[in-house]
Amino acid sequence: MVFSDSDSAIKYLQVRVSLSSSEKMDEGVVYTLDEALAAVGFGKFQAGVLSYAGMCLFAEAMEIMILSFVGLAVKSEWELSSNQESSITSVVFVGMLFGAYSWGLISDNYGRRKGIFGSTILTSIAGLLSAFSPNYISLVTLRCLVGVGLGGSPVFSSWFLEFVPASNRGMWMVVYSTFWTLGTIFEASLAWIVMPRMSWRWLLGISSLPSFSLLLFYRFVPESPRYLCTKGKTDDAQKILQKIALVNQTKLPNGMLVCDNIIGSDDPSYSSCRSPLVSSNKEKVSGLSSFFILFSSKLIRTTFLLWILYFANAFSYYGIVLLTSELSGGKSKCGSAILQSENLHDESLYADVFITSLAELPGLIICAMILDRVGRKLSMIFMSVLACIFLLPLVYEQPATLQTVLLFGARMWSSAIFTVACIYCPELYPTSVRTTGAGVASAVGRIGGVICPMVAVGLVNGCHVVEAITLFEIVIAISVVSLMFFPFETKGRELSDDVSSFHP
């Protein structure tokens, strides 16, 4: 074990002596959280956590994908203006921006379970009620609340991450990300069935059901043992680890759990983990302090680089999705919309969106294969270059088949980049501020999602395809430059629990 200073080593030896004298055990009586997770491995318990967290991502993808179908139908029924129609989409991203920040603070200060419950209940209830909206104002308000709830997605990803052993964390996080793609495919299939036969209200109502399923199984959701350690609840953390070992039919290391951050800290943000034999009165992270810690000397570089990465990824990903819808199949016309009101019942339109969504699956498979081998940074740089290569020929008019191949390739790699970024971000932050950091980065990314339709789609609709694609190339290039300045690679690296033990 490596110590940052002599005081840390002394404190650790004091724990060893105390254990030896009080419990009459030998030198191997303590183990860390990472050692415990490595011993129990990835088994049935983590599979259950994966399924629950994955269902959140599945539900989020459905609620985002639904915006491709509902806006124009509502505009036609209620005779809305174009600005009113676009607001139905924009308010969701605005809500997500606020929610990502808020749920991150709540889960870092009051527990992952509370963040999960709050975001889920808001998403499910607001999602269902929006299907019964009597007018435009109520619909926009409820969809904004849905966005606030969906902003809790980084809490789910951080929660799942904290149960996964470091050795194959990348692969399992890619598997988790697959739920997003499955959600987009399912929503496209659902819209294909519902919209030509029923109404947008049915689509909104049915799409809220996955969120309600999360509420049904909430009572089985365990608290993150890593979070419990940062709050000094070592006994509770050890009980959960024992349950994981029981379900996985494995064994914990001999002895007693000693959280990594027992090794002292002078950082005012430090949140000590008190074992039964060690007590500390260090100040705990609380309230808005976890937000300001993101700008501490150890984290400020990581924070700003992640903001650039998330903004660029969201802007390019949603831009390429919109380009795919605009240009695929030779249907592009200046000023055209993704769906024309007179074609709302044309099933071929939904088939096109369904097929387009399948483009993300190969990228996810490649991510799972290479992420734990070549690392996060190198994977994103490699994928960004490929995305640019696929986009570049589109500055010239291409045959329909080649155009489709190029758009599918660009979307495949852009989604893969976004997937790796969402894995890399929570790994970079220590547990005490992990969901706050991931939430704020996600919120900044949502700004890119809000701006992209106004800028990129405006260029395409104004017959400026070359300018739009050039803009995407520049944004992707900026994200590559930011990747080169990140402080470290997280492949196979144990997660930090507090800011004091964080070493870039």
Side-chain angles (χ1 to χ4, degrees), residues 23-341:
E23 302 293 338
K24 306 299 183 182
M25 297 181 182
D26 58 22
E27 182 65 14
V29 295
V30 296
Y31 59 87
T32 67
L33 187 57
D34 286 293
E35 290 170 344
L37 290 175
V40 299
F42 192 102
K44 293 180 180 178
F45 188 95
Q46 283 91 344
V49 175
L50 169 64
S51 299
Y52 191 87
M55 182 55 66
C56 166
L57 202 59
F58 186 93
E60 180 188 359
M62 289 183 66
E63 293 288 359
I64 295 296
M65 191 70 178
I66 205 173
L67 302 174
S68 300
F69 308 108
V70 169
L72 199 64
V74 173
K75 177 183 179 182
S76 177
E77 181 175 326
W78 288 347
E79 298 181 350
L80 304 178
S81 67
S82 296
N83 288 336
Q84 288 176 315
E85 178 196 356
S86 62
S87 295
I88 298 173
T89 299
S90 297
V91 294
V92 176
F93 286 102
V94 171
M96 292 177 76
L97 191 156
F98 176 77
Y101 167 73
S102 302
W103 298 121
L105 281 176
I106 289 171
S107 64
D108 273 338
N109 289 288
Y110 303 105
R112 309 300 193 233
R113 293 186 84 249
K114 287 184 173 61
I116 287 171
F117 179 75
S119 63
T120 300
I121 197 167
L122 183 59
T123 302
S124 56
I125 293 176
L128 180 61
L129 290 178
S130 63
F132 301 95
S133 301
N135 51 51
Y136 172 75
I137 296 299
S138 62
L139 177 62
V140 169
T141 301
L142 288 167
R143 296 313 294 176
C144 182
L145 291 175
V146 169
V148 175
L150 294 176
S153 179
V155 177
F156 284 81
S157 61
S158 297
W159 173 69
F160 171 62
L161 177 76
E162 291 169 356
F163 283 95
V164 183
S167 59
N168 55 1
R169 192 168 59 225
M171 183 194 71
W172 285 113
M173 289 301 291
V174 172
V175 173
Y176 163 73
S177 300
T178 304
F179 283 86
W180 169 276
T181 300
L182 295 177
T184 63
I185 294 171
F186 183 82
E187 184 66 25
S189 305
L190 185 64
W192 192 353
I193 295 170
V194 172
M195 289 295 285
R197 296 166 178 82
M198 291 185 274
S199 72
W200 57 270
R201 294 182 184 276
W202 280 96
L203 187 61
L204 284 174
I206 296 172
S207 298
S208 69
L209 296 181
S211 294
F212 276 103
S213 70
L214 292 172
L215 291 176
L216 292 176
F217 294 98
Y218 173 75
R219 63 189 296 263
F220 301 108
V221 172
E223 184 55 87
S224 162
R226 194 174 293 275
Y227 167 81
L228 291 171
C229 273
T230 65
K231 297 301 181 182
K233 300 179 180 179
T234 314
D235 285 343
D236 292 338
Q238 187 156 15
K239 288 177 183 178
I240 292 176
L241 291 172
Q242 290 169 348
K243 184 176 181 180
I244 296 174
L246 179 64
V247 174
N248 289 357
Q249 297 182 340
T250 54
K251 292 184 177 180
L252 289 169
N254 293 327
M256 180 179 295
L257 172 67
V258 175
C259 297
D260 294 337
N261 59 355
I262 197 174
I263 314 299
S265 172
D266 294 325
D267 191 296
S269 67
Y270 171 71
S271 178
S272 69
C273 176
R274 298 186 292 273
S275 73
L277 301 173
V278 179
S279 179
S280 173
N281 294 319
K282 298 283 186 181
E283 181 182 353
K284 296 189 175 187
V285 177
S286 61
L288 292 174
S289 64
S290 58
F291 172 75
F292 293 109
I293 291 169
L294 301 180
F295 306 98
S296 64
S297 58
K298 289 187 176 182
L299 295 178
I300 188 169
R301 176 183 173 186
T302 298
T303 296
F304 282 125
L305 287 172
L306 278 171
W307 288 7
I308 295 171
L309 182 64
Y310 262 69
F311 181 92
N313 283 345
F315 187 93
S316 57
Y317 171 76
Y318 289 116
I320 291 171
V321 169
L322 291 168
L323 269 181
T324 303
S325 301
E326 285 285 332
L327 303 179
S328 63
K331 295 178 181 178
S332 176
K333 292 182 180 179
C334 294
S336 66
I338 294 175
L339 294 177
Q340 298 295 337
S341 58

